[in-house]
Structures are given as structure tokens and as C-alpha cells.
Amino acid sequence: MTETIVNFILFSMLVITAFAIVRQDRLFTVVMLASVFSLLTAMLFIALDAVDVAFTEAAVGAGISTVLMLGTIALTARGAKPASRPNTLPLLVVLVTGAGLVYGTLDMPNFGDPEAPSNVHLSPHYLTNSIEEIDVPNVVTSILASYRGFDTLGETAVVFAAGIGVLMILSGLRHRRRKDEEEEEDA
Amino acid sequence: MKEHHLILRVVTKSLVGTIILFAFYVQFHGDFSPGGGFQAGVIMAVAFILYGIVFGLHEVQRVLPAWVVHKLVALGVLVYAGTGIWNMFLGYEFLHYGSFTPDHMSHGQHSGILYVEAGVGITVTGVMVAIYYAFAGRTPRLGNDDW
């Protein structure tokens, strides 16, 4: 009962935050609200007992993303441009995509369904055997780093590739040498 | 250069050490509590980013130069993949951590997880700090009224 109320409040606040973001023109406010949105999501993850994910969401979503978005604002513009064309087509696309996603969830097993495919043999195996096989109390760590070590290697490679990509875009390889020279002259 | 408020600077200086300590706790205590390389990497990066925001890019780059950060980005992936290749040299499959201590497989798992988590942490720290440097390096300094 308590959990239902907590979930209800958190989801309502998420929706309110989302509408507040849509209605804002000042990007600084938008970034701050997005940070609030991430924190609320992190609290939802805690309510779902997914503390590791909540930790990541709070650190990355509410922390680093906010800083990087503020950096982007500082490089570009402080306010959103008013829409020059009518919003009908984008609204239609959003509605159709949203309907498609909701339709897709209809086939998914209910939350916490013991008959769900992942709960039938995979999760029980991890939960019963991980102490014996890996001997690490936090099952999330043993799944992430050992059972699914290949996945995590791929994730690390993705972080690596994303970082390199952002660096290459931001440093603007073609102009860098000229810019460095200018800075040296300034200094 | 315009300096931030005294309270901000003092609080930041006292916080940075604690944040780094907490990052190491999250990194090495990930076996027992929530957290691991990804979270620890981000927290570690936050310490440097906070320092950079308050004291300026130049100051933080005296502590952690950009070229070191760029090496860290690649080093983490190398540590992770290197662990797997080391396992292969020991005669087992790629990323089969049990090969570190064949007599007691779960001990090897402990060391393996420690190494790959360290790799993840190094790469995530590197990427986050590198992206911050890239943004901040191009950012014109803003006054409080510009927002």
C-alpha cells in the first residue's frame, strides 16, 4: 500500500516535471528541471529495489549530464527559439510513436511476474549459484562483471567510443591548430 | 581571472577529498554494496569537474593534465580486455577469471572482477573528465547575469 502511494506520487511528479520542461523557454530552467527529472527517476528505481541503477541515474543523469548540458548552453544559446512552423506534424509523430510503444508493452510480462521468461530459469540460477560460483555478495556485481563480462566489456568500449566521438566533434580537428596558435598569441 | 565566492572555494576544497575517497569506496566496495566501476568513475570525475568549475580549467589541468585524461580513456579498455587476454594466456577462455587461481575458482573471480571494474572506472573517469575539458575549454566565461 505504502509503495503504491510512493510510486503514485513519484510518477505524478515525473509527469508534472515533464510538462514543466515542455512549457519552459529558458534553457537554464530546462536543464535544472531535467536534473530534477533524473533524481525522481532515481527514486523510482530505489522503490523498485534497483539501487545500483538508481545510483547510476543519480550520478550520471542528475550530476554529469547537468554539468555537460550547462556547458552546452554556455557554448550555444540561453533561450529556445519560438517555433516558426505549426506543431501538428511533430505532435502526430510523437503520438503515433507513443501509441506504438504502449502497444509494444502489451506483450511484455507484468511487473514481477514469476512466470516471466527471465524469472523462470535465468534469475534463479544467478541468485542461487552466484555465491558458490563467484562468491560476491552483491549479485548485481557478479552478473555485471563476471556472468555478463562480455557485455560489460562492450559497454566500456561504447563509453570509450562515445568519448572519442564527442572529443573529435568538440575539438574540431580542422580548426584546432589555427585556434591553438591564436590562443598562444593571446597569452 | 574573476574568483568565486570564498565560501564556495573553501567548501569545494574540503569536499573534493571526500568525493575522491567516496569514489574509491564505491569502486572497491562494489562487491558488497551498490556501485561499481561505472558509478565510481562518474564520482571520481565529479571531483575534478567540481574543482574545475570553482577554480577554473587551468587550475584543475595542473592536477590532471588533458593528455593524461586522454590516455586514461584508452587505458581502461586496455585493462579490461587485457584481463581477458591474460586469462587466455593462462589457458582458459577469454574473461574466465577462475583461471587466476585454478584451485579455488571463486578467488580468481574476485581478482578478475577487481581488475575489470578498475578498467571500467578508469575509462569512465577519463571520458567524463575529457568531455568536461572539451566543453570547458571552448566555453567563454559567463557572468552571473548572462544566465
Side-chain angles (χ1 to χ4, degrees):
Chain A
M1 185 60 197
T2 322
E3 205 181 320
T4 319
I5 296 174
V6 168
N7 281 340
F8 182 78
I9 294 173
L10 285 178
F11 271 115
S12 318
M13 286 170 75
L14 267 189
V15 174
I16 294 170
T17 316
F19 274 107
I21 290 176
V22 171
R23 295 192 58 78
Q24 273 295 333
D25 280 340
R26 285 170 62 85
L27 292 180
F28 182 72
T29 325
V30 171
V31 172
M32 286 303 146
L33 284 172
S35 173
V36 169
F37 192 92
S38 284
L39 268 184
L40 288 171
T41 321
M43 283 191 241
L44 270 172
F45 284 135
I46 291 176
L48 291 170
D49 278 342
V51 273
D52 285 84
V53 187
F55 203 159
T56 318
E57 179 66 40
V60 178
I64 294 269
S65 311
T66 311
V67 172
L68 294 184
M69 294 302 273
L70 289 178
T72 318
I73 290 180
L75 283 181
T76 53
R78 315 283 181 277
K81 282 182 191 156
S84 53
R85 274 175 286 183
N87 293 329
T88 336
L89 184 66
L91 186 67
L92 196 71
V93 172
V94 168
L95 285 180
V96 169
T97 316
L101 289 174
V102 171
Y103 177 72
T105 60
L106 293 181
D107 276 347
M108 283 173 68
N110 285 329
F111 174 68
D113 183 3
E115 301 296 318
S118 66
N119 288 347
V120 173
H121 59 275
L122 201 57
S123 305
H125 176 89
Y126 289 152
L127 291 177
T128 48
N129 298 345
S130 104
I131 280 293
E132 193 187 320
E133 288 174 359
I134 315 286
D135 197 21
V136 164
N138 185 0
V139 186
V140 178
T141 299
S142 65
I143 293 177
L144 181 115
S146 185
Y147 288 118
R148 298 297 177 95
F150 277 53
D151 286 8
T152 311
L153 176 58
E155 279 172 43
T156 316
V158 166
V159 172
F160 170 73
I164 298 290
V166 172
L167 284 185
M168 286 181 78
I169 293 172
L170 281 181
S171 58
L173 289 177
R174 236 182 329 155
H175 302 289
R176 193 166 62 180
R177 185 169 297 160
R178 198 178 58 198
K179 208 176 160 223
D180 282 353
E181 283 167 7
E182 280 171 12
E183 275 170 9
E184 273 168 27
E185 283 170 12
D186 289 345
Chain B
M1 195 186 84
K2 202 179 81 178
E3 281 198 325
H4 279 282
H5 197 277
L6 176 69
I7 294 177
L8 264 184
R9 282 182 282 142
V10 172
V11 170
T12 305
K13 274 194 179 171
S14 57
L15 269 183
V16 165
T18 321
I19 295 176
I20 291 179
L21 191 65
F22 183 58
F24 279 119
Y25 167 77
V26 171
Q27 171 84 49
F28 294 111
H29 211 259
D31 296 2
F32 304 95
S33 60
F38 286 100
Q39 293 89 341
V42 171
I43 295 170
M44 181 67 91
V46 162
F48 291 102
I49 292 176
L50 179 67
Y51 195 80
I53 288 176
V54 174
F55 292 94
L57 193 63
H58 177 71
E59 288 297 310
V60 71
Q61 286 190 341
R62 279 173 57 201
V63 184
L64 192 67
W67 65 268
V68 174
V69 177
H70 294 164
K71 301 287 183 293
L72 286 182
V73 173
L75 177 70
V77 183
L78 284 179
V79 167
Y80 199 133
T83 309
I85 292 171
W86 186 7
N87 293 142
M88 289 169 82
F89 273 117
L90 293 171
Y92 288 78
E93 299 94 336
F94 186 67
L95 291 177
H96 189 302
Y97 311 138
S99 59
F100 290 128
T101 49
D103 306 330
H104 197 308
M105 284 290 185
S106 64
H107 280 191
Q109 292 284 349
H110 274 281
S111 357
I113 289 176
L114 192 72
Y115 301 146
V116 299
E117 291 277 19
V120 172
I122 292 171
T123 288
V124 173
T125 309
V127 168
M128 295 300 172
V129 175
I131 294 178
Y132 168 71
Y133 280 1
F135 270 108
R138 296 175 51 127
T139 308
R141 285 190 65 81
L142 292 175
N144 281 333
D145 303 330
D146 293 341
W147 293 105

